[in-house]
Amino acid sequence: MDYEAYFKQSVDQIKAEGRYRVFADLERHAGNFPHATNRRPDATEEVIVWCSNDYLGMGQNPIVRDALIEAANTYGCGSGGTRNIAGTTHLHVLLEEELAKLHGKEAGLLFTSGYVSNDAGISTIAKLIPDCKIFSDAWNHASMIAGVRNAGCERAIYNHCDLVHLENLLKDTDIDRPKLIVFESVYSMDGDVSPIAEICDLADKYNAMTYIDEVHAVGLYGERGGGITEREGLADRLTVIEGTLAKGFGLCGGYITGSAALIDAVRSNAPGFIFSTTLAPPIIGAAIASVRYVREHNELRIIHQERSEKLKQMIRDIGLPLMEESVTHVVPVLVGDPVRCKQATDMLLEEYNIYIQPINYPTVPKGTERLRITPTPLHTDELMEDLVKALVEVWNRLELKQAA
């Protein structure tokens, strides 16, 4: 049997739909973000990165880099195994305490990624409660969907941020039946924000727990970087606040925070935690430094928002189709076709030395393909002017949709 044919057929289908993904071979320059070197078979070019989720450039911060080196010199490079066997260091304990404090919760638990924290967190919590029913926003991230599915319990999907639909689903469920509502604060492709307070009101009314994904908000919102829940004074109303170290804090890893009993139960039961080698001490040491730095430097958040709002206005002014759903730092520009979206990003990279990855299905629904631009405090006015000029030229050459 020709097993290889199945794999080739899958890739050929993706290519035929115009959504085959090609990874740029980039070398980022330590301390010089957003500049990077793009290595191609036929050339080496200096480029500007416009699509990083290192929203504040903390992966390049010298304080964070020094902390990583210090942790490696003190603890070594590897963790030694799972947390249960040999993988817990004092740094892990300190970081979990920092994250719990950041969100005003009793305890925190680290995972190897935000994907794993959602998958393990949601599925384990729901499995531990007999007859639990999950209510999940239709636009939730793939990691949350995995957690909902792996819970193996009954689930109901409510229309994106639709409070009426959510309440109708809750009404149809016995008030005494355990319930878990799972949703995100910032939806990272459109940049919109959930009605968190209203969802908490429904949770109170219908006797439900709440689980919020703050991965695209931690570090970026609130006076201390606790996310949208901190900004809106709602952290105490959420059962679980999940976040990441990979975006606002510039490293890698995920976590959940909540009550001491809940966190201990997940720690003791989640396969994604129990059987995974933990994050290496250098990463943890750097993460502690990053969380502490971001917490104390609110000016980073102020500049970040200013950069985003300025670029949005520049894009509006030139008549390109900015997706106005975004009320956050995300700057999405609609293309609406996978092939032309890839063409646009290829032209930007090859002819203008501007690196933006196309966002195609299955990350976003078909017909809503887009450029997702993420300016940081390190993107200057000059860089923004270069970007906007290049966008205009590419849009005109490809005859892409203009703003309505």
Coordinates of all heavy atoms in Angstrom, one line a residue, residues 61-133:
N61 N 14.1 42.0 25.5 CA 14.5 42.9 26.6 C 15.8 42.4 27.3 O 15.9 41.3 27.7 CB 13.3 43.0 27.6 CG 13.5 44.0 28.7 OD1 14.5 43.9 29.5 ND2 12.6 44.9 28.8
P62 N 16.8 43.3 27.4 CA 18.0 42.8 28.0 C 17.9 42.3 29.4 O 18.6 41.4 29.8 CB 18.9 44.1 28.0 CG 18.0 45.2 27.7 CD 16.8 44.7 27.0
I63 N 16.9 42.8 30.2 CA 16.7 42.3 31.6 C 16.2 40.9 31.5 O 16.7 40.0 32.3 CB 15.7 43.2 32.3 CG1 16.3 44.6 32.6 CG2 15.3 42.6 33.6 CD1 15.4 45.6 33.2
V64 N 15.4 40.6 30.6 CA 14.8 39.2 30.4 C 15.9 38.3 29.9 O 16.1 37.2 30.4 CB 13.6 39.2 29.5 CG1 13.1 37.8 29.2 CG2 12.5 40.1 30.1
R65 N 16.7 38.8 29.0 CA 17.8 37.9 28.4 C 18.8 37.6 29.5 O 19.3 36.5 29.6 CB 18.4 38.6 27.2 CG 17.6 38.6 26.0 CD 17.9 39.7 25.0 NE 19.3 39.9 24.8 CZ 19.8 41.0 24.3 NH1 19.1 42.1 24.1 NH2 21.1 41.1 24.1
D66 N 19.2 38.6 30.3 CA 20.1 38.4 31.4 C 19.6 37.4 32.4 O 20.4 36.6 33.0 CB 20.5 39.7 32.1 CG 21.3 40.7 31.2 OD1 21.9 40.2 30.2 OD2 21.4 41.9 31.5
A67 N 18.3 37.5 32.7 CA 17.7 36.6 33.7 C 17.8 35.1 33.2 O 18.0 34.2 33.9 CB 16.3 37.0 34.0
L68 N 17.5 35.0 31.9 CA 17.6 33.6 31.3 C 19.0 33.1 31.4 O 19.2 31.9 31.8 CB 17.2 33.7 29.8 CG 17.2 32.4 29.0 CD1 16.0 32.4 28.0 CD2 18.5 32.1 28.3
I69 N 20.0 33.9 31.1 CA 21.4 33.4 31.2 C 21.8 33.1 32.7 O 22.4 32.1 33.0 CB 22.4 34.5 30.7 CG1 22.1 34.6 29.2 CG2 23.8 34.1 31.0 CD1 22.8 35.8 28.5
E70 N 21.3 33.9 33.6 CA 21.6 33.7 35.0 C 21.0 32.4 35.5 O 21.6 31.6 36.2 CB 21.1 34.9 35.9 CG 21.4 34.7 37.3 CD 20.8 35.9 38.2 OE1 20.4 36.9 37.6 OE2 20.9 35.8 39.4
A71 N 19.7 32.2 35.1 CA 19.1 30.9 35.5 C 19.8 29.7 34.9 O 19.9 28.7 35.6 CB 17.6 31.0 35.0
A72 N 20.2 29.8 33.7 CA 21.0 28.7 33.1 C 22.3 28.4 33.8 O 22.6 27.2 34.1 CB 21.3 29.0 31.6
N73 N 23.0 29.5 34.2 CA 24.2 29.3 35.0 C 24.0 28.7 36.4 O 24.8 28.0 36.9 CB 24.9 30.6 35.1 CG 25.5 31.1 33.7 OD1 25.8 30.2 32.9 ND2 25.7 32.4 33.5
T74 N 22.8 29.1 36.9 CA 22.5 28.6 38.3 C 21.9 27.2 38.4 O 22.3 26.4 39.2 CB 21.6 29.6 39.0 OG1 22.2 30.9 39.0 CG2 21.3 29.2 40.4
Y75 N 20.9 27.0 37.5 CA 20.2 25.8 37.5 C 20.5 24.8 36.5 O 20.0 23.6 36.5 CB 18.7 26.1 37.5 CG 18.1 26.9 38.6 CD1 18.2 28.3 38.6 CD2 17.6 26.3 39.8 CE1 17.7 29.0 39.7 CE2 17.1 27.0 40.8 CZ 17.2 28.4 40.8 OH 16.7 29.1 41.8
G76 N 21.2 25.2 35.4 CA 21.4 24.3 34.3 C 20.4 24.6 33.2 O 19.4 25.3 33.4
C77 N 20.5 23.9 32.1 CA 19.6 24.1 30.9 C 18.4 23.3 30.9 O 17.4 23.7 30.3 CB 20.4 23.9 29.6 SG 21.7 25.1 29.4
G78 N 18.4 22.1 31.5 CA 17.2 21.2 31.4 C 16.5 21.2 32.7 O 17.1 21.4 33.8
S79 N 15.2 20.8 32.7 CA 14.4 20.7 33.9 C 14.6 19.4 34.7 O 14.3 19.3 35.8 CB 12.9 20.9 33.6 OG 12.5 19.8 32.8
G80 N 15.0 18.3 34.0 CA 15.3 17.1 34.6 C 14.1 16.1 34.5 O 14.2 15.0 35.0
G81 N 12.9 16.5 34.0 CA 11.8 15.6 33.9 C 10.5 16.3 34.1 O 10.4 17.5 34.1
T82 N 9.5 15.5 34.4 CA 8.2 16.0 34.8 C 8.2 16.7 36.2 O 9.2 16.4 36.9 CB 7.1 14.9 34.8 OG1 7.4 14.0 35.8 CG2 7.1 14.2 33.5
R83 N 7.2 17.4 36.5 CA 7.2 18.1 37.8 C 7.1 17.1 38.9 O 7.7 17.3 40.0 CB 6.0 19.0 37.9 CG 6.1 20.3 37.0 CD 7.0 21.3 37.5 NE 6.5 21.9 38.8 CZ 5.7 22.9 38.9 NH1 5.2 23.4 37.8 NH2 5.3 23.4 40.0
N84 N 6.5 15.9 38.6 CA 6.3 14.9 39.7 C 7.6 14.2 40.0 O 7.8 13.7 41.1 CB 5.3 13.9 39.2 CG 3.9 14.5 39.0 OD1 3.5 15.2 39.8 ND2 3.3 14.2 37.9
I85 N 8.5 14.1 39.0 CA 9.7 13.3 39.2 C 10.9 14.1 39.6 O 11.5 14.0 40.7 CB 10.0 12.5 37.9 CG1 8.9 11.5 37.6 CG2 11.4 11.7 38.0 CD1 9.1 10.7 36.4
A86 N 11.3 15.0 38.7 CA 12.5 15.8 39.1 C 12.5 17.2 38.5 O 13.4 18.0 38.6 CB 13.8 15.1 38.5
G87 N 11.3 17.6 37.9 CA 11.3 18.8 37.1 C 10.9 20.1 37.9 O 10.8 21.2 37.2
T88 N 10.6 20.0 39.2 CA 10.2 21.2 39.9 C 11.4 21.9 40.5 O 12.2 21.2 41.2 CB 9.2 20.9 41.0 OG1 8.0 20.4 40.4 CG2 8.9 22.1 41.8
T89 N 11.6 23.1 40.2 CA 12.7 23.9 40.8 C 12.0 25.0 41.6 O 10.8 25.3 41.5 CB 13.6 24.6 39.8 OG1 12.9 25.6 39.0 CG2 14.2 23.5 38.8
H90 N 12.8 25.7 42.4 CA 12.3 26.8 43.1 C 11.8 27.9 42.2 O 10.8 28.6 42.6 CB 13.4 27.4 44.1 CG 12.9 28.5 45.0 ND1 11.8 28.4 45.8 CD2 13.3 29.8 45.2 CE1 11.6 29.5 46.5 NE2 12.5 30.4 46.1
L91 N 12.3 28.0 41.0 CA 11.9 29.0 40.1 C 10.4 28.7 39.6 O 9.6 29.7 39.5 CB 12.8 29.0 38.8 CG 14.2 29.6 39.0 CD1 15.0 29.5 37.7 CD2 14.2 31.0 39.5
H92 N 10.1 27.5 39.5 CA 8.7 27.1 39.1 C 7.7 27.6 40.2 O 6.7 28.1 39.9 CB 8.6 25.6 38.9 CG 9.3 25.1 37.7 ND1 10.6 24.8 37.7 CD2 8.8 24.9 36.4 CE1 11.0 24.4 36.5 NE2 9.9 24.4 35.7
V93 N 8.1 27.4 41.4 CA 7.3 27.8 42.5 C 7.1 29.3 42.5 O 6.0 29.8 42.7 CB 7.9 27.3 43.8 CG1 7.0 27.8 45.0 CG2 7.9 25.8 43.9
L94 N 8.2 30.0 42.3 CA 8.1 31.5 42.3 C 7.2 32.0 41.2 O 6.4 32.9 41.4 CB 9.5 32.1 42.2 CG 10.4 31.9 43.4 CD1 11.8 32.5 43.1 CD2 9.8 32.6 44.6
L95 N 7.4 31.4 40.0 CA 6.6 31.9 38.9 C 5.1 31.7 39.1 O 4.3 32.5 38.7 CB 7.1 31.3 37.6 CG 6.4 31.8 36.3 CD1 6.4 33.3 36.1 CD2 7.0 31.1 35.0
E96 N 4.8 30.5 39.6 CA 3.3 30.2 39.8 C 2.8 31.2 40.8 O 1.6 31.6 40.7 CB 3.2 28.8 40.2 CG 3.3 27.8 39.1 CD 3.4 26.3 39.4 OE1 3.6 26.0 40.6 OE2 3.2 25.5 38.5
E97 N 3.6 31.6 41.8 CA 3.1 32.6 42.8 C 2.9 33.9 42.1 O 1.9 34.6 42.4 CB 4.1 32.6 43.9 CG 4.1 31.4 44.8 CD 5.2 31.5 45.9 OE1 6.1 32.4 45.8 OE2 5.2 30.6 46.8
E98 N 3.8 34.3 41.3 CA 3.7 35.6 40.6 C 2.5 35.6 39.7 O 1.8 36.7 39.7 CB 5.0 35.8 39.7 CG 6.3 36.1 40.4 CD 6.3 37.6 40.9 OE1 5.5 38.4 40.4 OE2 7.2 37.9 41.7
L99 N 2.2 34.6 39.0 CA 1.0 34.6 38.1 C -0.3 34.6 38.9 O -1.2 35.2 38.5 CB 1.1 33.3 37.2 CG 2.3 33.4 36.2 CD1 2.5 32.0 35.5 CD2 2.1 34.5 35.2
A100 N -0.3 33.8 40.0 CA -1.5 33.9 40.8 C -1.8 35.3 41.3 O -2.9 35.8 41.3 CB -1.4 32.8 42.0
K101 N -0.7 35.9 41.8 CA -0.8 37.3 42.3 C -1.2 38.2 41.2 O -2.0 39.1 41.4 CB 0.5 37.7 42.9 CG 0.5 39.1 43.5 CD 1.8 39.3 44.4 CE 3.1 39.0 43.7 NZ 4.3 39.3 44.5
L102 N -0.7 38.0 40.0 CA -1.1 38.9 38.9 C -2.6 38.9 38.6 O -3.2 40.0 38.3 CB -0.3 38.5 37.6 CG -0.6 39.2 36.3 CD1 0.0 40.7 36.4 CD2 0.0 38.5 35.1
H103 N -3.2 37.8 38.8 CA -4.6 37.7 38.5 C -5.5 37.7 39.8 O -6.7 37.4 39.7 CB -4.9 36.4 37.7 CG -4.3 36.4 36.3 ND1 -4.6 37.3 35.4 CD2 -3.2 35.7 35.8 CE1 -3.9 37.1 34.3 NE2 -3.0 36.1 34.5
G104 N -4.9 37.9 40.9 CA -5.7 37.9 42.2 C -6.3 36.6 42.5 O -7.4 36.5 43.1
K105 N -5.6 35.5 42.2 CA -6.1 34.2 42.5 C -5.2 33.5 43.6 O -4.1 33.9 43.9 CB -6.1 33.3 41.3 CG -7.0 33.8 40.2 CD -8.4 33.9 40.6 CE -9.4 34.3 39.5 NZ -10.8 34.5 40.0
E106 N -5.7 32.4 44.2 CA -5.0 31.7 45.2 C -3.8 31.0 44.7 O -2.8 30.8 45.5 CB -5.9 30.8 46.0 CG -7.0 31.5 46.8 CD -7.9 30.5 47.5 OE1 -7.9 29.3 47.1 OE2 -8.7 30.9 48.3
A107 N -3.9 30.4 43.5 CA -2.8 29.5 43.0 C -2.7 29.6 41.5 O -3.7 30.0 40.8 CB -3.0 28.1 43.5
G108 N -1.6 29.1 41.0 CA -1.4 29.0 39.6 C -0.7 27.7 39.2 O -0.1 27.0 40.1
L109 N -0.8 27.3 38.0 CA -0.2 26.0 37.5 C 0.4 26.2 36.1 O -0.3 26.7 35.2 CB -1.2 24.9 37.5 CG -0.6 23.5 37.3 CD1 0.3 23.1 38.4 CD2 -1.8 22.5 37.1
L110 N 1.7 25.9 36.0 CA 2.4 26.1 34.7 C 2.2 24.9 33.8 O 2.2 23.7 34.3 CB 3.9 26.3 34.9 CG 4.3 27.7 35.5 CD1 5.7 27.6 36.0 CD2 4.1 28.8 34.5
F111 N 2.1 25.1 32.5 CA 2.1 24.1 31.5 C 3.1 24.4 30.4 O 3.7 25.5 30.3 CB 0.7 24.0 30.8 CG -0.3 23.5 31.7 CD1 -1.0 24.4 32.6 CD2 -0.7 22.2 31.8 CE1 -2.0 24.0 33.4 CE2 -1.7 21.7 32.7 CZ -2.4 22.6 33.5
T112 N 3.4 23.5 29.5 CA 4.4 23.7 28.5 C 4.0 24.7 27.4 O 4.9 25.2 26.7 CB 4.8 22.3 27.8 OG1 3.6 21.7 27.4 CG2 5.6 21.5 28.8
S113 N 2.7 24.9 27.2 CA 2.2 25.9 26.2 C 0.8 26.3 26.6 O 0.1 25.6 27.4 CB 2.2 25.3 24.8 OG 1.2 24.3 24.7
G114 N 0.4 27.4 26.0 CA -1.0 27.8 26.2 C -2.0 26.8 25.6 O -3.1 26.6 26.2
Y115 N -1.6 26.1 24.5 CA -2.5 25.1 24.0 C -2.7 24.0 25.0 O -3.8 23.6 25.3 CB -1.8 24.5 22.7 CG -2.8 23.6 21.9 CD1 -3.3 24.0 20.8 CD2 -3.1 22.3 22.4 CE1 -4.2 23.2 20.0 CE2 -3.9 21.5 21.7 CZ -4.5 21.9 20.5 OH -5.3 21.1 19.8
V116 N -1.6 23.5 25.6 CA -1.7 22.5 26.6 C -2.5 22.9 27.8 O -3.3 22.2 28.4 CB -0.3 21.9 27.0 CG1 -0.5 20.9 28.1 CG2 0.4 21.3 25.8
S117 N -2.3 24.1 28.3 CA -3.0 24.6 29.5 C -4.5 24.7 29.2 O -5.3 24.3 30.1 CB -2.5 26.0 29.9 OG -2.6 27.0 28.9
N118 N -4.9 25.0 28.0 CA -6.4 25.0 27.7 C -6.9 23.6 27.6 O -8.0 23.3 28.1 CB -6.6 25.8 26.4 CG -6.9 27.3 26.7 OD1 -7.3 27.7 27.8 ND2 -6.6 28.1 25.7
D119 N -6.2 22.8 26.8 CA -6.7 21.4 26.6 C -6.8 20.7 27.9 O -7.8 20.1 28.3 CB -5.7 20.7 25.6 CG -6.1 19.3 25.2 OD1 -7.2 18.9 25.7 OD2 -5.4 18.7 24.5
A120 N -5.7 20.7 28.7 CA -5.6 20.0 30.0 C -6.6 20.7 31.0 O -7.3 19.9 31.8 CB -4.2 20.0 30.5
G121 N -6.6 22.0 31.1 CA -7.3 22.7 32.1 C -8.8 22.4 31.9 O -9.5 22.0 32.8
I122 N -9.3 22.7 30.7 CA -10.8 22.6 30.5 C -11.2 21.1 30.6 O -12.2 20.8 31.3 CB -11.1 23.1 29.1 CG1 -10.9 24.7 29.0 CG2 -12.6 22.8 28.7 CD1 -11.0 25.2 27.6
S123 N -10.5 20.2 30.0 CA -11.0 18.8 30.0 C -10.9 18.2 31.4 O -11.8 17.5 31.8 CB -10.1 18.0 29.0 OG -8.7 18.0 29.4
T124 N -9.9 18.6 32.2 CA -9.8 18.0 33.5 C -10.8 18.5 34.4 O -11.5 17.8 35.2 CB -8.4 18.3 34.1 OG1 -7.4 17.7 33.2 CG2 -8.2 17.7 35.4
I125 N -11.0 19.8 34.4 CA -12.0 20.5 35.3 C -13.4 19.8 35.0 O -14.1 19.5 36.0 CB -12.1 22.0 35.1 CG1 -10.8 22.6 35.6 CG2 -13.3 22.6 35.7 CD1 -10.6 24.1 35.2
A126 N -13.8 19.7 33.7 CA -15.1 19.2 33.4 C -15.2 17.7 33.8 O -16.3 17.3 34.3 CB -15.4 19.4 31.9
K127 N -14.2 17.0 33.6 CA -14.2 15.5 33.9 C -14.3 15.3 35.4 O -14.9 14.3 35.8 CB -12.9 14.8 33.4 CG -12.9 14.6 31.9 CD -11.6 13.9 31.5 CE -11.5 13.6 30.1 NZ -10.2 13.0 29.7
L128 N -13.8 16.2 36.2 CA -13.8 16.0 37.7 C -15.2 16.3 38.3 O -15.5 15.9 39.4 CB -12.8 16.9 38.3 CG -11.3 16.5 38.1 CD1 -10.4 17.6 38.7 CD2 -11.0 15.2 38.7
I129 N -16.1 16.9 37.5 CA -17.4 17.2 38.0 C -18.5 16.4 37.3 O -18.7 16.5 36.1 CB -17.7 18.7 37.8 CG1 -16.6 19.6 38.4 CG2 -19.1 19.1 38.3 CD1 -16.7 21.0 38.1
P130 N -19.1 15.5 38.0 CA -20.1 14.6 37.4 C -21.2 15.3 36.6 O -21.8 16.3 37.1 CB -20.7 13.8 38.5 CG -19.6 13.8 39.6 CD -19.0 15.2 39.4
D131 N -21.5 14.9 35.4 CA -22.6 15.5 34.6 C -22.4 16.9 34.2 O -23.4 17.7 34.0 CB -23.9 15.3 35.3 CG -25.1 15.4 34.3 OD1 -24.9 15.0 33.1 OD2 -26.2 15.8 34.8
C132 N -21.1 17.4 34.2 CA -20.9 18.8 33.8 C -21.2 19.0 32.3 O -21.0 18.2 31.5 CB -19.4 19.1 34.1 SG -19.0 20.8 33.8
K133 N -21.8 20.2 32.1 CA -22.1 20.6 30.7 C -21.3 21.9 30.4 O -21.3 22.8 31.2 CB -23.6 20.9 30.5 CG -24.0 21.2 29.1 CD -25.5 21.4 29.0 CE -25.9 21.7 27.5 NZ -27.4 21.8 27.4

